[in-house]
Amino acid sequence: MAARPSPLEWARRRRAERGARRLEAAGARALGQLGHLGPAWHVVDWPRVDPADVLLDESDDNRAGFLAIGPSGLFAVTIADHGRARVLVAGDVVQINGKRPPYVTEARRDARRASKALTSAVGHPIPVTPVLTFVGSGVISVYGLPKDCLMATHRELDRLLVAGGNRISPATAEKLSRVAQHPSTWTTGGHQPAADYRWYEDGRTAADKAATHR
């Protein structure tokens, strides 16, 4: 017979379950907005954290994320659920309830990791743009946007992603989405390099001409 959990263990388990449900709901709200983008766009769930890093992760479990791939390029979308709390943004600094979670740093890290894995998988440099998306009803006050990281509320996410114009062909977006969905991409980079990934402008990324939103 299994031992009954202590009150503290039970409370922690209940908190984790509530956090998981909240994350799922926040992710669903952000994904729902992308339904307006049409069939040229692809959303891919991906392992944002390496297995070895999971044991060292001391975060508050208040983020989720996915890859968005379409004509404007590739985006690593990191979701921050702030609920009713007010958010203050000043460059790289995000403050919520007196705390300063490293959301911008983590969004950049996720994008670099996705870019490295996809580049290794296809044998061609694949730029990935970090996007920090806030889900919640609290007021967001922006005193300066971070560099090299896009930012939007979940209601504006679709408009933010298409603001970069056409960077890659629909066929390339489709191929990259298939690569991103393959488990080996995130473990061994086991795909064969491909030469038919067509980017419209060499040396450009989806963030080059993207509009700023808040």
Side-chain angles (χ1 to χ4, degrees):
M1 183 176 179
R4 295 181 61 184
S6 68
L8 181 59
E9 291 172 339
W10 180 86
R12 286 174 175 171
R13 187 178 304 169
R14 292 284 293 177
R15 180 182 178 185
E17 291 172 352
R18 287 196 301 269
R21 288 195 296 270
R22 183 175 174 179
L23 265 180
E24 184 177 358
R29 291 172 70 183
L31 284 171
Q33 197 68 21
L34 298 189
H36 304 152
L37 294 178
W41 282 84
H42 311 271
V43 176
V44 180
D45 188 18
W46 70 296
R48 295 174 56 249
V49 181
D50 288 315
D53 293 337
V54 173
L55 298 177
L56 303 177
D57 187 10
E58 298 179 355
S59 66
D60 293 329
D61 264 351
N62 55 354
R63 288 171 292 106
F66 51 84
L67 293 177
I69 305 172
S72 298
L74 288 82
F75 302 86
V77 180
T78 298
I79 299 171
D81 181 3
H82 63 99
R84 299 178 180 178
R86 182 181 180 185
V87 179
L88 300 177
V89 178
D92 288 4
V93 178
V94 176
Q95 182 170 307
I96 304 175
N97 288 330
K99 298 181 180 180
R100 296 185 175 182
Y103 288 155
V104 174
T105 298
E106 292 172 354
R108 291 187 181 126
R109 178 204 63 195
D110 290 347
R112 286 195 301 268
R113 178 170 177 267
S115 177
K116 181 179 179 181
L118 291 168
T119 294
S120 176
V122 305
H124 183 86
I126 305 296
V128 178
T129 301
V131 180
L132 180 58
T133 301
F134 291 102
V135 177
S137 58
V139 175
I140 301 176
S141 300
V142 179
Y143 300 97
L145 292 170
K147 295 180 180 179
D148 304 320
C149 179
L150 304 183
M151 186 177 293
T153 67
H154 74 280
R155 298 181 184 87
E156 300 171 322
L157 181 58
D158 55 339
R159 296 194 295 273
L160 177 69
L161 295 185
V162 301
N166 292 329
R167 293 286 188 268
I168 61 178
S169 69
T172 294
E174 170 68 28
K175 292 173 184 176
L176 289 172
S177 72
R178 290 200 299 267
V179 173
Q181 293 175 58
H182 202 286
S184 68
T185 296
W186 309 107
T187 55
T188 63
H191 278 274
Q192 293 295 320
D196 55 349
Y197 291 80
R198 182 158 62 88
W199 297 79
Y200 288 132
E201 298 180 56
D202 292 339
R204 302 291 297 275
T205 69
D208 284 343
K209 296 177 64 177
T212 57
H213 291 257
R214 65 184 176 91

